Amino acid sequence: MIRLITKSIVHRPVRNGALIISFAFIAASLFSGHFLVAGATDSVRQELSRLGADIIVVPAQYHAEGEAVLLRGEPSSFFFDSAIVGQVENVSGVAQAAPQIYIATMPADCCSALVQLIAIDPSRDFTIGPWLAQHREMPLGKDEIILGSQLVGDIGSTQYYYGHPFRVAGKLEPTGTGVDVSVFLRAEDARVMAAESVAMAYEPIEIPEGKISVVLIKVKNPAESTQVASRITDHVEGVRVITPQYLISTVATQLDATIRILDLAALVATLVSLPLIALISVMAANERMREIGMLRALGATQARIFYLISGEFVIIALAGGILGIAVSTVLLLSFQSYISVTVGVPLTVPAAGSFIVSALAAVLLTTGIGGVAAFFTAVRAARTEPYRAIRSGEL
Amino acid sequence: MIDVSGLVKIFLEGGREIRPLDGIDFTCERGEFILIVGRSGSGKTTFLNILGGLTQPSSGRVKIDGNEIGKLSDAECSALRFRTIGFVFQFPGLLAPLTALENVTLSSSITGVTPEDPAYARTLLERVGLPGKADTLPAHLSGGELKRVAIARALVNRPSLILADEPTADLDIETEREVMALFREINRSGTTIVMVTHNTELAPFASRVMKMENGNLTEYER
């Protein structure tokens, strides 16, 4: 039966090819939205996992810059008083607090690349902990840097920032977030670099004494991170907190318009295609009515005719769905960075689980649309009296 | 084999009642080759399709091998057609994407029943004079060859009854003779045949000839 259906599909390449493309468009529209949401959400989770932080404390007036650094890696420099670290550590529920200094490099000759420099205190830092834990043979030493995945530079090579030479000690795995375009270095090296920049760089950088940019926090009980974040806001003046949930909801908000457009495209494609596909199924059944009558004469039951007609459209829709997923995956992966910049959200390849679920859901929905479009035609064809079916087409 | 009594078929055409079959009684014994002749529109095809359960009579009773067709469910009637009846239509009705062999085994493909003897279909193609054509698509077969494939398709399940509707229409005289000789050979091997045609010249091939006229079936004077 399947062989009969597939041969019948192949026999009408133009019509069925057009149908497959229609279904592919529907599947691609449905899948792309899920891909973007899952990719962005996973990206944020990966970044937070990489940073190892449950809460990020930023200066209240630089909240947006902090988000931009974390989500999109837009280089930025901002500071607040390092005394904040002590205040934050005293808040109930805080297990660990690690200060970081954010320094944006200049688009000039000062540096090897336009990046975000993130200065850490290795004795307190847990932000690139997972990576460093895997590379214990290579602790971050004096004048050493660790590059984000998108940055160019071989391990062991030398890069210059504000005239100061740094040895590339390692490279992080991709996250699809700001971490990928960041350079990690020790805070004391950053301060030496800043001091030297007055003499060595066209645009000197200043890191004010006693200032830091953000405080990354690990809470004692991750389930209570929201309450701890509230307590920090209540007890520490001049700060805003960024939580994983907040970042994910920010990404969701930024993606909302894009998702709506994709959902609308899927809806329009479905609404336009469904009647057309239904009409094509009616035409296909009509032109094959004599064949259907002959098959009934050969012993096919009504149910078999129903499966034959609906099965053809289900297989076409399935093929279209798979094609749509394959093409949209290739396009989304090829233009991942472009989409990320255009939509303004971090984007990574979603985890295998959510990717498979999204792909299966899109294929099933598309196949369902094919089944619905052919359902009534298949019922009508199956119920047509064989004699009437055989004589159809006769004048 | 076939027992028909009081068969009536009424069509409504433009509000007018048409009775192509008006109280037909008919019996056919196993092994007979019955030719039903009649003018176009006399009801021959309608009668044949009722015998095969492809349409229902308005009234009357049709029994095939003791099974009253009107009382069978769709599945039972389909099974009867698959197991007992082989149809040969005026048009060959071969599926264009399938090869000759695949068309012959189509009933197995569409019903999902595995053929008892897969090699039999190929043997049949040889028997109807088409050796070496098993893998040929219908588009590359002549009219006579198409008809032969259709006959092989009707025979593939070893039916006890063949219902043939104008099987030699549109064929040249030579091919017509060949096809009729094939039917006679099939009949001689024990298969019952009921054939309808407008061509009275085919009468010599049949064991009994009947005439459909004015909704009734009568013996035909040869």
Side-chain angles (χ1 to χ4, degrees), chain A residues 1 3-4 7-8 11 290-291 293-305 308 385-387 390-391, chain B residues 45-46 49 54-56 74-75 78 81-82 87 89 91 93 95-98 102 106-107 109-112 153:
Chain A
M1 183 88 147
R3 188 173 155 81
L4 188 61
K7 281 213 166 194
S8 178
H11 185 63
R290 178 176 275 195
E291 174 188 323
M294 194 270 301
L295 292 173
R296 296 276 283 131
L298 291 179
T301 58
Q302 289 183 348
R304 283 271 164 180
I305 297 298
L308 183 74
E385 191 181 55
Y387 176 55
I390 288 167
R391 301 209 70 169
Chain B
T45 297
T46 303
N49 281 289
L54 299 180
T55 185
Q56 292 296 318
D74 172 63
S78 297
R81 285 196 289 265
F82 177 72
F87 285 91
F89 297 104
F91 62 96
L95 300 197
L98 306 184
E102 287 168 335
L106 186 57
S107 59
S109 308
I110 192 70
T111 56
R153 183 181 62 193

Side-chain angles (χ1 to χ4, degrees), chain A residues 9 13 27 53 56 84-85 106 158-159 180 188 193 196 206 215 258 318 360 370-371 380 390 394:
Chain A
I9 291 170
I56 299 164
I84 295 284
V85 181
M106 295 294 163
T158 301
Q159 293 197 347
D180 293 347
E188 56 187 291
M193 174 189 76
E196 290 175 359
E206 187 192 0
V215 184
T258 308
L318 184 66
L360 277 179
R380 192 177 66 91
I390 288 167
E394 289 181 9

Side-chain angles (χ1 to χ4, degrees), chain A residues 177-326:
Chain A
T177 66
V179 170
D180 293 347
V181 288
S182 298
V183 175
F184 290 85
L185 69 161
R186 302 190 319 165
E188 56 187 291
D189 294 341
R191 291 192 187 280
V192 171
M193 174 189 76
E196 290 175 359
S197 72
V198 178
M200 300 182 74
Y202 290 112
E203 295 271 355
I205 176 75
E206 187 192 0
I207 303 174
E209 198 57 42
K211 298 283 183 184
I212 56 168
S213 302
V214 298
V215 184
L216 277 74
I217 290 166
K218 224 181 211 339
V219 297
K220 288 174 183 165
N221 180 1
E224 290 179 1
S225 58
T226 309
Q227 291 92 314
V228 176
S230 298
R231 284 201 285 272
I232 292 170
T233 314
D234 292 344
H235 293 100
V236 184
E237 270 186 36
V239 300
R240 291 274 301 265
V241 292
I242 296 173
T243 59
Q245 293 79 6
Y246 175 79
L247 279 181
I248 289 170
S249 73
T250 303
V251 164
T253 307
Q254 282 174 278
L255 274 177
D256 193 48
T258 308
I259 302 301
R260 277 170 193 267
I261 290 169
L262 286 169
D263 284 348
L264 188 67
L267 183 68
V268 170
T270 305
L271 289 177
V272 171
S273 302
L274 199 62
L276 281 175
I277 294 164
L279 183 67
I280 291 171
S281 76
V282 170
M283 288 163 60
N286 282 347
E287 76 186 33
R288 292 171 62 188
M289 201 48 91
R290 178 176 275 195
E291 174 188 323
I292 289 165
M294 194 270 301
L295 292 173
R296 296 276 283 131
L298 291 179
T301 58
Q302 289 183 348
R304 283 271 164 180
I305 297 298
F306 175 82
Y307 295 144
L308 183 74
I309 301 296
S310 57
E312 192 168 316
F313 277 81
V314 165
I315 287 176
I316 287 171
L318 184 66
I322 292 168
L323 178 72
I325 300 300

